[in-house]
Amino acid sequence: AFDNERLRLMYDEARQHQSELNTQNEILRKKVEVATKEFYDLKCVADARITGLEMKVREGEEQLSMYNNLEKELDDVVMQAAAASDSDQILACYGYGANMPTTSRRRLKQGVAMARQLLTAQKDNAELKTEAGK
């Protein structure tokens, strides 16, 4: 009888411990579910942000490429205008005429003048080298 009572108490204690462990297990399972859901929500937000940033980078790269091409074209026009006798006519042929804002037109004329000075200096330098070589 004493052994049966002792076994019954041990059994009841084990069942109570199992019940507590099951409750803790269920709480932890719910916490994992919440954490998993939050992780996937954050992942979706991060993926959307990454996609948006990648699009902005692509747009920036395209714009930079366009500006680089425009700058090269403008440099070519300035060099052609500097080499020509009538720079205003060359600039007008490329659409850089009277409809251009004054500051831009002034900068373009300054660029042409500087390019002319550079071409003249290069020409003078080449002549001096030729004379020095004789």
Side-chain angles (χ1 to χ4, degrees):
F2 179 73
D3 285 337
N4 284 342
E5 185 64 26
R6 195 178 119 220
L7 285 175
R8 191 181 63 75
L9 287 174
M10 286 175 57
Y11 174 76
D12 288 343
E13 187 178 305
R15 280 187 54 159
Q16 183 179 2
H17 187 65
Q18 180 188 11
S19 176
E20 290 171 1
L21 289 176
N22 286 341
T23 303
Q24 287 179 355
N25 187 23
E26 190 60 33
I27 291 170
L28 291 174
R29 184 173 298 150
K30 287 180 182 180
K31 284 183 179 181
V32 167
E33 286 175 11
V34 168
T36 301
K37 182 186 180 304
E38 189 173 323
F39 169 78
Y40 285 117
D41 290 345
L42 290 173
K43 185 176 182 321
C44 287
V45 169
D47 288 345
R49 187 159 187 225
I50 287 170
T51 301
L53 291 173
E54 286 174 343
M55 284 177 46
K56 282 184 179 181
V57 166
R58 269 185 258 126
E59 290 171 0
E61 287 172 343
E62 289 171 3
Q63 191 173 26
L64 179 62
S65 176
M66 183 181 65
Y67 283 136
N68 284 337
N69 290 337
L70 183 62
E71 187 175 328
K72 183 182 178 317
E73 178 185 327
L74 189 58
D75 288 345
D76 291 343
V77 169
V78 167
M79 292 307 290
Q80 286 178 17
S85 59
D86 187 9
S87 61
D88 289 334
Q89 184 181 4
I90 296 290
L91 294 175
C93 287
Y94 284 99
Y96 300 109
N99 61 349
M100 182 184 281
T102 306
T103 55
S104 298
R105 189 176 327 124
R106 186 176 57 80
R107 285 187 184 145
L108 193 57
K109 286 189 182 248
Q110 286 176 340
V112 168
M114 291 176 72
R116 278 193 178 144
Q117 289 175 357
L118 176 64
L119 289 174
T120 303
Q122 287 176 337
K123 183 179 175 186
D124 292 345
N125 188 21
E127 288 174 2
L128 288 173
K129 282 184 180 180
T130 304
E131 289 178 15
K134 290 183 181 180

